[in-house]
Amino acid sequence: MMHEMTPTTPLEPGEEVVHSFHPDRATYWRDHAWLAAFAMALGMIVLWIMGNPFLWTGAVGGLAAVAVRAFYVASDEMAARWDLTEFRLLGPQTRAVRLDEIARVRGLGSAVQVVTRSGDKHLIKYQADRADTERRIARAAAAAGNTAMETS
C-alpha cells in the first residue's frame, strides 16, 4: 500500500475545496536549522557534563542527526496537503475533520494544531503564514456553525 500524503477522502455531494494548505520549503529548512542548532548545543552540554574534553563532537552529532532526518523525510513532508471545504478539513490519507467538531485551533511554531471535541489532534506543518492558516480554518468553522471553537 502506498503512503499518500494528500487527502484520499472523497468529497461529499455539493462539497468543494475552498483552500489547500501546502507546506513551505523555506519554512521546513528554517525549522530544521533551529532544531539542528538546539541539538548541537544540547550535545555539547551533555558531553561537558560528562567531562568529555571533545565537546565539538556533540555539535557534529547533533547536526548530523537532524540533517539525516531532514533530508530523509523532506520529500514526504513537502508532499503533504490539507484541503479545506465548506464542511470539513481533509488531511493526508483518510483524515477528515468536520468543521463543527473542531474544539481548538492553535499555532505551534510553524504548524497549526487542530483539536477536535473528541480529543483527536492534527498538525498542519510548515506553514509560511501560520496565522493565515489559523484564520482560514476559524472562519470556515464559524461559517459551518461552530461557535464554541477556541483559537490562540
Side-chain angles (χ1 to χ4, degrees), residues 4 6-12 15 17 81 83 85 88-97:
E4 293 289 328
T6 57
T8 58
T9 303
L11 295 176
E12 295 174 354
E15 186 177 30
V17 174
R81 186 184 85 221
D83 291 340
T85 73
R88 300 183 293 171
L89 182 61
L90 306 174
Q93 297 179 350
T94 58
R95 292 183 187 129
V97 179

Side-chain angles (χ1 to χ4, degrees), residues 8-63:
T8 58
T9 303
L11 295 176
E12 295 174 354
E15 186 177 30
E16 292 181 17
V17 174
V18 294
H19 188 78
S20 292
F21 302 106
H22 299 274
D24 178 65
R25 187 170 302 281
T27 302
Y28 176 83
W29 290 111
R30 184 197 67 221
D31 285 2
H32 279 81
W34 279 109
L35 185 59
F38 176 75
M40 292 168 72
L42 183 62
M44 291 174 68
I45 290 169
V46 168
L47 290 177
W48 176 69
I49 290 171
M50 293 173 49
N52 188 318
F54 303 105
L55 299 181
W56 63 272
T57 59
V60 172
L63 177 61

Side-chain angles (χ1 to χ4, degrees), residues 2 8 15 23 30 32 38 41 78 82 87 101 117 120 123 135 150:
M2 289 297 295
T8 58
E15 186 177 30
R30 184 197 67 221
H32 279 81
F38 176 75
M78 290 298 103
W82 286 80
F87 312 110
E101 288 296 315
R117 296 191 203 298
D120 294 333
L123 275 180
R135 276 192 301 275
E150 295 178 38

Side-chain angles (χ1 to χ4, degrees), residues 28-29 32 66-75:
Y28 176 83
W29 290 111
H32 279 81
V66 173
V68 166
R69 185 227 181 255
F71 284 105
Y72 184 73
V73 300
S75 61

Side-chain angles (χ1 to χ4, degrees), residues 1-2 7 10 14 23 34 37 50 53 57 70 84 104 109 127 131 133 143:
M1 181 174 135
M2 289 297 295
W34 279 109
M50 293 173 49
T57 59
L84 180 64
R104 185 172 195 173
Q127 296 298 290
T133 302

